[in-house]
């Protein structure tokens, strides 16, 4: 039996290790598409600020980790698949046979259709290679424009500020974190960033980038749709991601937003599974299918897909939307169905000046989602309440009056 895992991010690495443990007398091959040993994108912000060296981003830090486990690590990129023959075609002409295949190829950043995004000085912040280029250009006092103010953009934002750059964020939606925060929360984060010296433009679109030369330096001019022009030594594009599924184009593997998988993370082809940012998997809150491009979902997918591949069936309960951000000291959290459900109830309390906000969403007497800003204590309890789908009974009424009492509700119900 040969198990092959394509993609050596968190989903692929956890899957390869799980396969090795669950089915010891087999071949496990892990194919990584980047030059570096398997690493965590989540650690890139720490690399940008010098808190860790490049090796500090590696997922496994012991020399020879994969060899010791008996996992064959192959560096290469898969170009296409012959699912009938159980064969992968790699760039450069090599092939790899498999009996069971896990696709864990992650996602790639989207480049919006804006003129000038191919100019030198414009980078995504997705790979270690991107991070090296950003470090070169994001020196103290440099003018930097960050396109996008979503989850990944806000993570990078903090690192750029720590590097001492003069930062402008341009977001076309009406608020920061439009897919993670409502207007109240998004506006609070915007005011917080502005207080810390970041220039934030929401409801603004970058229309064009042009090269310019000033004081012997090659820089850029960034045009905004209101006519403003921003100087930039560096432009970082963080405008969303798309699952990496191109090499499946002529195969029978069904792809929508990502690779469509069932509750066992199996694709439409019976010996092919998918995990992580490339998989459109079960969603805990809606019972539907979604790509949740976050690391906890990737590792959970990897583990469960591997167990199922190894003939130890586990039904996946679905991933919970779970975004936690620390934006220069302001912690924001969104869990589950934070936008609410039809016929549900909402309780919210905001302290605009104190940068504190809590919004709870109920379906009947069950907490199904929440937003929280400005608190670090007990937010895990909110997640626990959502994931346990606990009926809160009269505590629902108390929380409608004072949402801050969620810890009491949790403790009371645990007795
Ligand atoms: C800067 C940054 C900060 C982040 N911070 C957080 C955070 O705080 N919290 C959080 O939950 N998430 C965070 N994320 C998102 C998180 O990193 C991803 O959700 C996670 O990496 C997904 O894991 P994955 O294994 O599915 O994909 P990836 O980590 O993207 O790994 C996929 C691997 O597959 C390889 N590959 C792709 N195509 C091929 C091919 N054809 N052949 C061979 N190999 C291929 C890729 O090169 C890559 O190595 C962050 C992302 C970035 C960029």
């Amino acid at each position: 039996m040969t198990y092959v895992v394509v993609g050596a991010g968190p989903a692929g690495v956890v899957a390869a290790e799980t396969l090795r443990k669950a089915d010891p007398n087999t071949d496990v091959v892990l194919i990584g598409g980047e030059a570096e040993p398997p690493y965590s994108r989540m650690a890139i912000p720490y690399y940008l600020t010098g808190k860790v060296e490049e090796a500090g981003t590696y997922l496994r830090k012991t020399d020879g980790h994969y060899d010791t486990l008996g996992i064959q690590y192959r560096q290469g990129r898969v170009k296409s698949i012959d699912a009938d023959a159980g064969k992968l075609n790699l760039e450069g002409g090599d092939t790899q046979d498999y009996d069971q295949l896990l696709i864990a190829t992650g996602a790639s950043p989207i480049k919006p259709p804006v003129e000038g995004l191919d100019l030198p000085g414009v980078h995504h912040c997705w790979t270690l290679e991107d991070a090296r280029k950003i470090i070169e250009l994001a020196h103290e006092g440099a003018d930097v424009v960050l396109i996008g103010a979503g989850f990944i953009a806000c993570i990078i934002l903090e690192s750029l500020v720590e590097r001492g750059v003069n930062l402008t964020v341009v977001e076309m939606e009406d608020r920061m974190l439009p897919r993670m925060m409502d207007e109240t929360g998004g506006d609070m984060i915007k005011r917080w960033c502005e207080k810390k010296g970041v220039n934030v433009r929401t409801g603004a679109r970058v229309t064009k980038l042009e090269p310019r030369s000033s004081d012997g330096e090659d820089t850029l001019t960034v045009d905004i749709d209101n006519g403003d022009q921003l100087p930039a030594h560096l432009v970082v594009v963080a405008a969303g991601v798309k699952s990496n599924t191109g090499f499946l184009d002529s195969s029978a593997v069904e792809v929508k937003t990502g690779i469509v998988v069932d509750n066992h993370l199996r694709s439409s082809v019976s010996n092919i599974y998918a995990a992580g940012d490339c998989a459109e998997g079960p969603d805990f809150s809606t019972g539907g299918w979604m790509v949740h491009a976050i690391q906890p979902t990737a590792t959970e997918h990897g583990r469960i897909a591997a167990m199922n591949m190894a003939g130890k069936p586990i039904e996946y309960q679905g991933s919970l939307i779970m975004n936690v951000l620390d934006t220069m000291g302001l912690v924001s959290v969104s869990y589950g169905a934070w936008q609410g459900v039809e016929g549900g109830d909402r309780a919210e309390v905001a302290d605009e000046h104190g940068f504190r906000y809590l919004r709870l969403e109920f379906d009947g007497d069950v907490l199904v989602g929440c937003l929280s800003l400005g608190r670090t204590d007990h937010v895990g309890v909110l997640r626990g309440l959502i994931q346990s789908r606990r009926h809160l009974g009269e505590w629902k009424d108390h929380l409608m009056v004072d949402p801050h009492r969620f810890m009491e509700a949790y403790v009371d119900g645990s007795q």
Side-chain angles (χ1 to χ4, degrees):
M1 166 69 79
T2 303
Y3 295 110
V4 174
V5 177
V6 187
V13 166
V14 167
E17 291 169 347
T18 308
L19 282 165
R20 168 47 64 242
K21 222 179 189 168
D23 202 355
N25 300 314
T26 54
D27 289 333
V28 178
V29 180
L30 175 62
I31 304 180
E34 292 177 51
E36 301 82 6
Y39 66 90
S40 166
R41 306 197 190 290
M42 245 178 99
I44 287 177
Y46 303 98
Y47 173 56
L48 285 178
T49 54
K51 290 191 185 90
V52 299
E53 300 283 314
E54 215 172 289
T57 67
Y58 297 167
L59 282 162
R60 302 293 178 260
K61 297 183 175 64
T62 314
D63 280 349
H65 172 80
Y66 302 98
D67 286 345
T68 308
L69 286 182
I71 295 170
Q72 189 196 335
Y73 182 72
R74 265 191 95 167
Q75 208 243 317
R77 288 194 81 78
V78 173
K79 199 174 62 175
S80 63
I81 178 173
D82 180 347
D84 293 333
K87 186 188 288 249
L88 298 169
N89 301 306
L90 275 71
E91 282 174 8
D94 282 356
T95 59
Q96 172 69 54
D97 293 337
Y98 64 84
D99 296 305
Q100 299 234 43
L101 176 69
L102 175 71
I103 303 170
T105 46
S108 294
I110 293 169
K111 192 175 273 191
V114 172
E115 194 183 325
L117 285 190
D118 291 320
L119 288 166
V122 183
H123 300 288
H124 294 293
C125 182
W126 194 253
T127 60
L128 272 175
E129 180 62 20
D130 294 333
R132 285 181 211 119
K133 290 174 182 153
I134 289 173
I135 287 171
E136 253 173 55
L137 294 169
H139 49 81
E140 188 151 4
D143 291 317
V144 178
V145 174
L146 175 59
I147 302 180
F151 180 60
I152 301 293
C154 283
I155 291 171
I156 304 163
L157 178 155
E158 167 145 345
S159 304
L160 291 170
V161 169
E162 272 189 49
R163 292 187 64 83
V165 307
N166 174 26
L167 182 64
T168 302
V169 181
V170 184
E171 165 59 56
M172 68 180 185
E173 302 280 345
D174 62 351
R175 61 182 187 275
M176 293 185 76
L177 293 163
R179 274 165 289 286
M180 168 177 161
M181 277 288 143
D182 63 8
E183 217 169 288
T184 307
D187 285 350
M188 264 187 206
I189 294 172
K190 179 179 177 184
R191 280 193 295 110
W192 179 268
C193 289
E194 287 170 341
K195 242 173 65 130
K196 302 273 178 186
V198 179
N199 180 9
V200 184
R201 314 247 186 148
T202 46
R205 226 174 240 276
V206 171
T207 53
K208 196 176 171 190
L209 273 65
E210 287 170 293
R212 73 168 194 161
S213 224
S214 69
D215 300 332
E217 257 190 331
D218 289 331
T219 58
L220 295 158
T221 299
V222 179
D223 291 358
I224 311 291
D225 59 357
N226 68 356
D228 285 358
Q229 293 196 311
L230 307 169
H233 296 87
L234 164 69
V235 174
V236 180
V237 184
V241 298
K242 187 178 176 304
S243 295
N244 291 325
T245 58
F247 66 98
L248 296 169
D249 279 353
S250 55
S251 78
V253 176
E254 189 190 357
V255 176
K256 289 184 182 163
T257 316
I259 299 162
V260 180
V261 290
D262 64 13
N263 284 317
H264 293 85
L265 299 174
R266 189 195 294 255
S267 79
S268 55
V269 175
S270 65
N271 63 339
I272 302 182
Y273 292 70
D277 283 8
C278 67
E280 192 168 329
D283 176 81
F284 174 88
S285 298
T286 62
W289 268 253
M290 243 183 114
V291 175
H292 278 178
I294 54 171
Q295 183 151 324
T297 297
T299 51
E300 188 70 347
H301 274 186
R303 188 182 66 80
I304 290 174
M307 291 303 281
N308 285 312
M309 290 167 79
K312 302 186 187 318
I314 303 185
E315 192 159 323
Y316 185 42
Q317 298 308 305
S319 52
L320 180 74
I321 289 184
M322 196 165 52
N323 294 305
V324 182
L325 256 182
D326 180 344
T327 313
M328 295 176 285
L330 180 64
V331 174
S332 54
V333 169
S334 68
Y335 291 139
W338 64 267
Q339 285 157 307
V341 294
E342 215 179 313
D345 295 306
R346 174 178 309 162
E348 58 185 330
V349 52
D351 170 5
E352 301 275 349
H353 299 292
F355 293 95
R356 278 169 76 87
Y357 179 44
L358 183 61
R359 165 173 160 177
L360 305 182
E361 293 288 344
F362 299 94
D363 187 1
D365 66 349
V366 176
L367 185 69
V368 290
C370 73
L371 295 179
S372 158
L373 240 117
R375 66 186 304 159
T376 50
D377 57 323
H378 310 315
V379 282
V381 163
L382 287 167
R383 189 176 114 197
L385 282 172
I386 295 167
Q387 277 182 316
S388 66
R389 295 195 166 110
R390 212 176 85 196
H391 288 279
L392 291 163
E394 65 184 29
W395 268 108
K396 147 88 184 292
D397 303 322
H398 298 319
L399 291 174
M400 288 299 291
V401 177
D402 182 359
H404 290 304
R405 295 184 68 192
F406 65 84
M407 187 65 194
E408 289 174 68
Y410 178 78
V411 172
D412 197 31
S414 311
Q415 284 163 0

